Amino acid sequence: MYNIVIVGVGGQGTLLASKILGQLAMNNGYDVRVSEVHGMSQRGGSVVTYVRISNDQPLYSSIVEQGQADIVLAFENLEALRALPYLKKDGTIVINTQEILPMPVITGATAYPADCLARVEAEAKTVEINAVEIAHECGTYRAANVVLMGVVAKKLPFSVEEWHKAIEQCVKPKFLEINLNAFDRGYSYND
Amino acid sequence: MSLHGLATPKEDNQLKQLLLGNEAIARGAYEAGVRVSSAYPGTPSTEINENVANYPEIYSEWAPNEKVAVEVALGAAVSGARSLACMKHVGLNVAADPFFTATYTGVNAGMVVVVADDPGMHSSQNEQDTRMLARASHAPVLDPSSSQECKDFLKMAYDISEEYDTPVILRVTTRIAHARTLVELEDRVERPLREYKRDIKKYVSMPANMIGRHLYVEEREKKLAEAANTLPINKIEWADTKVGVVTTGAAYNYVKEAMPTASVLKLGLAYPMPRKLIEEFASKVETLYVIEDMEPFYEDTIKAWGIKCSGKDLTGVQGELFMHKIANKFNGEEPVGPMNTQGIPARPPVLCPGCPHRGLYHVLGKLKLTVCSDIGCYTLGALPPLSGVDTCVCMGASIGMAHGMEKARGHEQAKKTVAVLGDSTFCHSGLTGLLNMAYNRAVGTVIVADNSITGMTGHQNNPANGKDIHGDPTVALDIVKLCDAMGIKHVRIVDPFDLKELEKVVREETERDELSVIISRRPCALIVKQPGIPYVSDPDKCRNCGMCLKIGCPAIRKTETGVAIDPTQCVGCGLCQQLCHFGALHTEA
């Protein structure tokens, strides 16, 4: 069983990431629970998606709770810090090293913690990657979510072929090549 | 994400699919032979009708509000077609009028109303429990725990509806509606239209007729309560009998993980409740807990039957249940959480870069007006730095409340007050409030923030934007002509990105001793296909005065040397440029 938490800022493409993961697990005979966030927080707020996959024990709950996550995938530095408590003791957090300022920082009510990544590194096994830059090299910064899937893929028991198949099932054909390329770049990322 | 788009699930010989609860409900409607579906969008229910629209076998539509949706579904059912209406919990309040009498008239073909509750208020203004309204209206209500159950229970709801001649509620909560779990697909079973016959005693809700129907409702409810004792969706899962748990919906999932040794009575039919089954279960366990999201709906009834149990005394009513909470409160485990968020700035939702509402709230704030706002993206104008909303209660309340303030405090108050609501909310519940103002000689200003879409729920078409649920062209409500027909003399249309003009118009209209309507018109930034060229800040000219930061644009940040604009977020709306006194902001082109 794997519990995965995907966090980011509304509009970053976290839903596609959870969709690919769910599809992949289903293709491989796993039971799957995915919990998505729709509505108000999608408007630039913190968003959290939970993915639970299992081929050895029954799943009931669709949410991952504090201390239960094998993997946290964070699309943004501050959200990585916020999501840290989800992680199991020996879990891994994968971070797309991007800073998106929340409104209380923009208005000057509070400051963006300068030591965000250091605080995460001090507490957990961390993989940091500038997925936006890599995605941009692949053709569009919007494929950053699939670059990150490539990084996560190395922590999960599925073959590259299976990942490619799941991506093909989840993205529109005209963006398939960019996305497969983005995945491979993430997969070959040296952490 | 829009670039990738989410491909629609592929049908090719894939019998199992990973579906949202809401997608599974849509699929259930398809398989159950539903012919007519009407809904108003509302989180967490919106995706149901969006997905129903993908099945050409079902006529689907966006109704202007939930009351209309339920009336449409009732008409379709009475005339012989299986029908569906979908809404969020507060939508049922709007639809309560037809619904509470539809349980008397009954249906002909099956009718189901899907109502999505939002414990924890992820995207809602209250935490009302639909089961309470179901009981008050004497409607059966089913409560699924997974996407598979969403589909199966919906189909069963149609059978119950037809067997017991009543509309039935399928109640879901956010964690069921917005969770993806595996669903086995089946084929659609076509249902021929049932015969329609005039039946005055049944369908005409005059007092003399409805006395008989009320007696029928009582009888029907007793029969279903009896049948509930052996209904397969009310099931006991025996384990250790030291602890027994009565539970339902999402709470069932958490109970199964938090209390694996407990015996569980899962109530798939939440109302009417199976008394014999519950009594039998209670008699065989040493300690009985009732674990349910929201109100003590089962618990109060079980206690009223003289059965000792506990539940809400341990958890309270506010907020969602979750696994750790149940393990702590009912299984004696160490508490986990809440998560430590100290020193981590919150990230509240914001108006998007390029949002037309931003200009409007900037001007209303500058003029220091009292703002009776409404339900929609523009409610976000209440958050800093705009902090520009006085009230927001329910769909359409902006107009009624602004009118009430004027009648209570006089014309001078009216000149300092505006009502603000979106185009979709105006169509939903604003028209009658505006008519009330016109009819009762109101002094006041109503601003329709017309962004040509139902925004917050994810961009659904509405009666004011000229497109139907499929995106096909249809008539668009002409708000100007509507106001004219109501006898409103002053109607202005203004672009909220033209701050000077907007300010002038708002000043002029609020100063009048009459009723005015301002249509603040510009499409939602997320539906504009071609974003503009991003702005940049000229460090030589920027004096870091912070003027442009007042509009709360997420693309603008303050640095030590002046403001910086994030080119990946800026859509080139130019609002910031209008605020800059030093000409520091411009496009690179």
Side-chain angles (χ1 to χ4, degrees):
Chain A
M1 184 177 73
Y2 293 89
N3 290 329
I4 300 151
V5 176
I6 304 172
V7 297
V9 178
Q12 277 192 304
T14 54
L15 283 186
L16 180 67
S18 64
K19 182 147 184 162
I20 291 169
L21 262 171
Q23 182 73 43
L24 171 78
M26 183 177 75
N27 291 347
N28 287 274
Y30 280 61
D31 195 7
V32 188
R33 296 278 186 279
V34 179
S35 189
E36 300 177 352
V37 175
H38 298 239
M40 190 174 246
S41 50
Q42 279 182 298
R43 299 279 168 265
S46 300
V47 288
V48 185
T49 304
Y50 308 109
V51 182
R52 308 186 69 208
I53 62 174
S54 174
N55 64 352
D56 53 7
Q57 52 183 291
L59 297 176
Y60 293 96
S61 167
S62 296
I63 61 175
V64 179
E65 299 184 19
Q66 193 165 342
Q68 291 184 330
D70 300 282
I71 300 167
V72 169
L73 171 56
F75 279 54
E76 198 271 350
N77 296 351
L78 183 59
E79 296 313 310
L81 180 59
R82 198 189 313 282
L84 201 51
Y86 282 116
L87 212 55
K88 272 182 188 165
K89 269 203 180 104
D90 53 352
T92 302
I93 182 162
V94 175
I95 307 173
N96 170 42
T97 53
Q98 189 181 357
E99 280 188 9
I100 300 176
L101 302 191
M103 196 46 66
V105 171
I106 291 175
T107 61
T110 182
Y112 195 101
D115 58 348
C116 223
L117 290 179
R119 279 163 73 181
V120 176
E121 286 160 10
E123 304 232 356
K125 261 189 292 183
T126 308
V127 181
E128 293 168 24
I129 176 169
N130 188 337
V132 175
E133 192 178 279
I134 294 171
H136 191 67
E137 288 166 16
C138 296
T140 168
Y141 70 90
R142 288 179 178 274
N145 46 13
V146 182
V147 174
L148 293 167
M149 288 287 94
V151 180
V152 168
K154 281 191 289 188
K155 321 283 173 199
L156 293 172
F158 305 106
S159 68
V160 170
E161 291 71 30
E162 285 295 334
W163 278 95
H164 281 193
K165 188 178 150 196
I167 292 166
E168 193 179 337
Q169 286 167 306
C170 293
V171 304
K172 285 186 177 161
K174 65 172 170 172
F175 299 112
L176 181 61
E177 203 183 317
I178 288 179
N179 278 298
L180 290 181
N181 193 9
F183 175 85
D184 291 344
R185 289 287 305 273
Y187 194 78
S188 59
Y189 182 73
N190 209 346
D191 53 89
Chain B
M1 198 175 73
S2 63
L3 251 182
H4 302 288
L6 295 183
T8 44
K10 292 195 178 74
E11 292 268 350
D12 36 297
N13 44 25
Q14 240 183 320
L15 289 176
K16 256 193 180 182
Q17 286 192 5
L18 189 57
L19 299 184
L20 281 180
N22 284 346
E23 292 170 346
I25 291 168
R27 178 71 194 190
Y30 165 78
E31 292 178 7
V34 168
R35 287 166 177 260
V36 174
S37 174
S38 188
Y40 183 80
T43 313
S45 74
T46 311
E47 301 79 11
I48 302 169
N49 210 35
E50 282 185 323
N51 281 281
V52 167
N54 292 330
Y55 297 106
E57 293 83 353
I58 307 175
Y59 167 80
S60 60
E61 64 175 27
W62 291 125
N65 67 34
E66 297 85 353
K67 177 178 183 291
V68 174
V70 164
E71 290 157 353
V72 169
L74 182 60
V78 165
S79 79
R82 283 193 166 187
S83 70
L84 178 70
C86 316
M87 59 204 62
K88 69 183 292 172
H89 53 109
V90 285
L92 186 59
N93 303 340
V94 179
D97 197 0
F99 190 76
F100 272 58
T101 302
T103 56
Y104 280 37
T105 64
V107 293
N108 176 16
M111 168 176 168
V112 178
V113 177
V114 182
V115 187
D117 288 356
D118 191 14
M121 291 180 279
H122 295 273
S123 209
S124 303
Q125 64 268 50
N126 73 21
E127 291 186 290
Q128 73 183 52
D129 186 331
T130 291
R131 297 174 302 167
M132 311 286 273
L133 272 87
R135 182 168 60 196
S137 64
H138 300 284
V141 51
L142 288 84
D143 203 347
S145 297
S146 65
S147 297
Q148 181 70 51
E149 285 190 356
C150 281
K151 183 166 84 75
D152 294 345
F153 283 21
L154 182 77
K155 290 164 84 173
M156 179 178 272
Y158 280 103
D159 294 338
I160 292 173
S161 174
E162 286 171 359
E163 190 179 339
Y164 291 86
D165 193 18
T166 177
V168 174
I169 291 177
L170 180 80
R171 176 245 198 178
V172 291
T173 55
T174 302
R175 297 301 187 182
I176 304 301
H178 286 164
R180 289 183 188 277
T181 71
L182 296 175
V183 178
E184 278 187 39
L185 305 188
E186 290 165 271
D187 291 332
R188 175 174 169 95
V189 178
E190 286 296 347
R191 315 252 163 194
L193 281 175
R194 290 186 165 205
E195 187 190 1
Y196 170 70
K197 275 192 302 211
R198 174 183 282 179
D199 188 344
I200 292 174
K201 281 197 171 315
K202 189 167 185 283
Y203 295 122
V204 181
S205 67
M206 295 156 83
N209 295 341
M210 290 302 109
I211 289 169
R213 292 305 300 177
H214 196 177
L215 292 170
Y216 172 81
V217 168
E218 261 190 283
E219 240 359 82
R220 169 184 80 203
E221 198 164 73
K222 273 185 210 154
K223 247 192 243 170
L224 183 55
E226 186 55 38
N229 289 304
T230 51
L231 213 57
I233 60 171
N234 290 335
K235 58 174 186 187
I236 296 176
E237 296 168 0
W238 287 115
D240 192 345
T241 53
K242 269 204 185 91
V243 171
V245 180
V246 177
T247 185
T248 193
Y252 165 82
N253 295 331
Y254 307 135
V255 167
K256 291 297 279 184
E257 298 202 356
M259 308 170 78
T261 60
S263 291
V264 173
L265 169 52
K266 179 182 190 296
L267 295 180
L269 183 72
Y271 185 80
M273 291 166 62
R275 181 163 182 172
K276 278 185 209 154
L277 186 67
I278 292 170
E279 284 175 342
E280 180 206 330
F281 182 71
S283 71
K284 289 181 182 163
V285 298
E286 286 172 38
T287 304
L288 183 67
Y289 292 125
V290 182
I291 304 182
E292 54 194 323
D293 264 317
M294 312 188 105
E295 297 294 323
F297 181 81
Y298 299 145
E299 191 181 336
D300 284 352
T301 301
I302 292 171
K303 281 179 174 162
W305 288 338
I307 298 168
K308 207 177 146 210
C309 62
S310 60
K312 291 295 166 188
D313 49 335
L314 298 171
T315 61
V317 173
Q318 198 281 316
E320 303 184 88
L321 293 172
F322 48 94
M323 197 279 279
H324 279 142
K325 190 170 181 179
I326 290 169
N328 169 238
K329 301 292 182 188
F330 299 96
N331 223 16
E333 290 175 27
E334 286 295 307
V336 177
M339 303 222 295
N340 181 18
T341 52
Q342 245 180 348
I344 304 176
R347 190 187 299 276
V350 289
L351 295 174
C352 303
C355 176
H357 302 319
R358 181 172 284 110
L360 177 62
Y361 276 109
H362 172 73
V363 166
L364 300 181
K366 190 175 171 192
L367 299 178
K368 297 192 167 53
L369 294 167
T370 297
V371 178
C372 294
S373 191
D374 223 300
I375 307 280
C377 285
Y378 44 90
T379 319
L380 294 172
L383 300 177
L386 292 165
S387 307
V389 172
D390 289 78
T391 66
C392 167
V393 175
C394 70
M395 297 290 283
S398 56
I399 298 182
M401 290 182 74
H403 181 62
M405 286 186 180
E406 185 245 318
K407 294 305 178 193
R409 302 179 70 94
H411 289 188
E412 287 315 304
Q413 175 68 35
K415 290 179 182 181
K416 290 184 288 183
T417 305
V418 290
V420 174
L421 76 175
D423 46 324
S424 191
T425 305
F426 180 72
C427 293
H428 180 287
S429 290
L431 282 77
T432 45
L434 187 62
L435 184 61
N436 180 57
M437 286 184 97
Y439 170 54
N440 290 304
R441 303 177 197 91
V443 172
T445 306
V446 172
I447 302 177
V448 181
D450 179 2
N451 63 354
S452 308
I453 204 78
T454 312
M456 183 65 93
T457 46
H459 301 108
Q460 290 75 34
N461 294 315
N462 68 51
N465 82 347
K467 289 182 199 145
D468 69 6
I469 192 168
H470 304 291
D472 295 330
T474 181
V475 291
L477 172 70
D478 186 330
I479 299 173
V480 177
K481 279 190 188 158
L482 176 87
C483 292
D484 185 49
M486 286 184 182
I488 300 166
K489 283 183 245 151
H490 310 287
V491 183
R492 310 276 293 270
I493 299 174
V494 62
D495 179 355
F497 278 178
D498 187 343
L499 293 179
K500 270 196 189 136
E501 177 66 13
L502 179 65
E503 183 179 333
K504 180 171 161 277
V505 168
V506 174
R507 272 186 197 280
E508 285 169 5
E509 297 308 323
T510 50
E511 275 163 17
R512 272 185 212 285
D513 272 318
E514 286 175 283
L515 175 59
S516 305
V517 171
I518 299 170
I519 302 167
S520 169
R521 183 171 283 164
R522 179 172 274 269
C524 168
L526 299 182
I527 58 172
V528 178
K529 295 242 160 63
Q530 291 282 320
I533 301 158
Y535 276 71
V536 291
S537 170
D538 183 340
D540 294 333
K541 290 184 180 164
C542 177
R543 302 204 192 166
N544 227 351
C545 66
M547 199 55 206
C548 58
L549 296 167
K550 285 187 178 175
I551 49 171
C553 177
I556 310 176
R557 66 195 289 184
K558 196 181 172 86
T559 73
E560 277 179 20
T561 54
V563 300
I565 297 178
D566 178 351
T568 68
Q569 289 203 67
C570 177
V571 296
C573 75
L575 213 59
C576 55
Q577 186 189 38
Q578 294 182 53
L579 293 172
C580 180
H581 298 308
F582 309 107
L585 302 169
H586 55 87
T587 56
E588 273 188 300

